[in-house]
Amino acid sequence: MAHSGFEGYEKRLELHFFGDDPTILQMGLRKLDFECMIQPTLEAVQCTVVSAVGNSYFDAYVLSESSLFVYPTKIIIKTCGTTQLLKSITPLIFYAHTHLGLTLCSCRYTRGSFIFPESQPFPHTSFEEEVTYLENTIPENLSLRKASIMPSKLSSHSWHVFTATNDPPLSHYQNHPYTMEICMTDLDPILARKFFRRSGDGKSGDSAGKDMTELTGIDEINRNALICDFAFDPCGYSMNGMDGDWYSTIHVTPEDGYSYASFECVGSISMNESMVHMLRKVVQIFRPGTMSVSTTMTSGGYGNEAWRMVAGAVEPMGLKGRSFAMDGFPAAGSVVFQTFTPLRRKSE
């Protein structure tokens, strides 16, 4: 099948490391040399850095295909298109161990259902292939493993999850109790046009990105966030937001026929009010024809709270819940997966 559009759906990889030297752990993975270690790893994945920012907690990179976040003991890489994300695992494990004495203790891989699955290269040709690759790549001490496809009544929006952690498990996630990943397709075409650049605008990707951030209201999702944004030519947009040690990120592929946008953030159940605000702003900015929300909780007992929070936030915006699924992963928490579509179709 010929490639007929850009693949917006991202692949997301989260790796946690541990070590015994407290002096190393203060900066940890942030000490990896960019040109000699990070950049070659990204080249293996087939993407590059286009903009970057950092604070006292972590470094955030906007990539040519999505985002990279580097904390002292955690790396998150999120890439779209036909990138080969899983090829980053081996070099990252090697650099972390050889140069910092850090050892991988947890791995999480998630993604939605690709719009153009036939265009994906190895090892992303199928979820089964991805799981096999992961099983053969990560260390044996990550023995608590599970792979799951969480179904949806909208078959094109199923959620794929693989987790692996060490036994006995360490506490990897205490600072970020949950991660929310939102995938949206069939964006409102008028709103999607705001992510196209004017021909010959003479602006850099950074300055054009800043304009899009303000024009669309993305800067109002979290007013406390430091935003690093970038607009691609002729269209497309990415941003990373930094609020203390919390991150958020948005990526937009606005072309008609395969329009897509994603929003991701970390938070805690105690942030219910601010999370509701963020969810509603995201719906206002994109007005998707289909929206899926995956909430990963690393501490138990919050599944129903997460489900109610998400539904209570987006249903007053004219969306109706179409499916709900929840699954647990050994020593890695649980995932709630919900899909929504408008009460009234756009053609009605």
Side-chain angles (χ1 to χ4, degrees):
M1 175 180 173
H3 185 67
S4 54
F6 184 79
E7 180 60 66
Y9 270 99
E10 297 98 347
K11 317 164 183 87
R12 181 186 186 276
L13 179 67
E14 180 173 339
L15 302 175
H16 289 251
F17 296 80
F18 76 95
D20 298 322
D21 188 341
T23 60
I24 292 291
L25 294 177
Q26 289 178 2
M27 286 294 291
L29 298 165
R30 300 179 71 183
K31 293 183 69 175
L32 291 178
D33 184 87
F34 179 82
E35 291 186 359
C36 296
M37 301 175 196
I38 300 297
Q39 187 167 290
T41 299
L42 294 176
E43 289 174 356
V45 172
Q46 297 180 330
C47 60
T48 58
V49 172
V50 297
S51 191
V53 68
N55 64 13
S56 59
Y57 296 97
F58 67 104
D59 300 311
Y61 301 87
V62 176
L63 305 179
S64 54
E65 280 83 13
S66 300
S67 292
L68 164 68
F69 302 99
V70 183
Y71 289 81
T73 60
K74 174 175 66 176
I75 286 184
I76 299 165
I77 309 182
K78 187 171 186 173
T79 63
C80 54
T82 55
T83 50
Q84 296 169 286
L85 176 61
L86 296 183
K87 290 189 175 181
S88 67
I89 298 175
T90 297
L92 288 174
I93 292 175
F94 174 80
Y95 293 138
H97 183 70
T98 303
H99 296 271
L100 302 171
L102 299 179
T103 301
L104 185 69
C105 60
S106 176
C107 170
R108 186 195 305 276
Y109 175 69
T110 58
R111 69 167 175 85
S113 298
F114 296 127
I115 301 173
F116 307 107
E118 297 86 353
S119 299
Q120 290 297 315
F122 175 84
H124 300 285
T125 49
S126 69
F127 186 56
E128 292 76 12
E129 193 71 61
E130 291 171 321
V131 171
T132 298
Y133 188 92
L134 283 158
E135 294 274 11
N136 293 333
T137 304
I138 59 177
E140 292 182 359
N141 68 297
L142 274 63
S143 59
L144 299 176
R145 306 180 179 190
K146 181 176 178 178
S148 176
I149 300 178
M150 302 180 70
S152 165
K153 291 182 179 178
L154 310 170
S155 59
S156 61
H157 283 255
S158 296
W159 194 244
H160 305 69
V161 184
F162 173 87
T163 66
T165 190
N166 53 339
D167 185 14
L170 300 175
S171 180
H172 316 302
Y173 307 104
Q174 62 270 26
N175 293 331
H176 296 158
Y178 75 71
T179 301
M180 182 174 291
E181 299 173 70
I182 300 175
C183 302
M184 296 166 282
T185 57
D186 188 21
L187 311 181
D188 181 284
I190 295 176
L191 298 177
R193 291 301 303 177
K194 296 180 180 181
F195 296 98
F196 282 77
R197 293 177 60 171
R198 293 182 179 178
S199 178
D201 61 13
K203 296 180 179 179
S204 66
D206 296 292
S207 61
K210 180 177 174 56
D211 290 345
M212 286 184 185
T213 298
E214 296 174 352
L215 175 66
T216 58
I218 286 174
D219 57 341
E220 298 178 0
I221 295 176
N222 179 1
R223 295 185 178 91
N224 297 322
L226 169 65
I227 293 177
C228 179
D229 37 25
F230 192 89
F232 297 90
D233 191 11
C235 64
Y237 168 89
S238 289
M239 69 77 80
N240 293 329
M242 310 179 80
D243 182 3
D245 68 336
W246 309 91
Y247 74 84
S248 58
T249 186
I250 291 175
H251 304 283
V252 185
T253 301
E255 292 96 326
D256 290 342
Y258 50 93
S259 61
Y260 172 85
S262 66
F263 172 80
E264 178 181 328
C265 67
V266 289
S268 64
I269 294 299
S270 63
M271 296 172 60
N272 188 299
E273 185 174 336
S274 61
M275 292 302 298
V276 168
H277 165 77
M278 285 190 276
L279 280 163
R280 290 180 176 175
K281 286 298 297 183
V282 168
V283 174
Q284 287 177 347
I285 290 166
F286 297 107
R287 290 290 174 186
T290 303
M291 175 178 181
S292 65
V293 183
S294 171
T295 308
T296 300
M297 292 148 295
T298 55
S299 54
Y302 295 120
N304 289 332
E305 290 183 47
W307 170 78
R308 286 194 294 266
M309 179 191 70
V310 172
V314 304
E315 288 187 341
M317 306 297 294
L319 296 174
K320 180 176 177 57
R322 303 297 179 179
S323 63
F324 165 85
M326 186 163 64
D327 202 352
F329 296 82
S334 58
V335 177
V336 173
F337 180 62
Q338 299 160 265
T339 56
F340 301 86
T341 59
L343 285 168
R344 293 177 60 85
R345 295 291 182 180
K346 294 179 181 180
S347 60
E348 294 178 344

